[in-house]
Amino acid sequence: MHTVMSGRSRIAGLEVYVPPTRLDTDAVEQRIVESSPGFRIPKGLISRVTGIRSRSVMAESEQASDLAVNAAAKVLASCGLQAPGCRPSGFCLREPGTWWSPQQPILPPQSWDSVAR
């Protein structure tokens, strides 16, 4: 892993989280046909044009912030760190006695510094 220095900041790691649910292009084509009566797509056209055969999709109960929390947990773990006040489940201490989960609004800016440490 390379560390990039910029002023007093550095990037110590980078991770992504991709939802485990996959949707193949055949299913996408079928959805288009079902939602557009009279419109037909030649089978395999999307895959041939885009090169995409399947894609990851979030569950209906997931938000983009859930993906961010999972990626953050992975990068912290890969760097041997854990955000103070965070439980392994992804819940973090927002204020004394108040727990934040990925389904709640983003932490207020005044909390960012304490979570980053």
Side-chain angles (χ1 to χ4, degrees), residues 102-116:
Q103 298 300 328
Q104 293 176 327
I106 300 296
L107 295 173
Q110 61 270 24
S111 301
W112 295 349
D113 188 49
S114 61
V115 170

Side-chain angles (χ1 to χ4, degrees), residues 28-89:
V28 172
E29 288 176 352
Q30 186 59 37
R31 283 185 182 184
I32 292 170
V33 168
E34 289 171 0
S35 65
S36 305
F39 183 72
R40 296 287 176 246
I41 296 177
K43 185 148 180 69
L45 178 67
I46 294 175
S47 184
R48 284 192 307 273
V49 171
T50 65
I52 300 170
R53 294 189 179 147
S54 70
R55 71 251 328 121
S56 295
V57 293
M58 294 187 301
E60 287 193 30
S61 62
E62 285 181 305
Q63 302 292 321
S65 60
D66 298 321
L67 305 182
V69 166
N70 285 316
K74 285 173 62 176
V75 76
L76 288 172
S78 73
C79 295
L81 302 171
Q82 181 179 358
C86 286
R87 297 177 178 175
S89 62

Side-chain angles (χ1 to χ4, degrees), residues 2-13 79 81:
H2 298 286
T3 301
V4 177
M5 298 298 288
S6 172
R8 294 174 44 196
S9 300
R10 69 185 177 117
I11 298 173
C79 295
L81 302 171

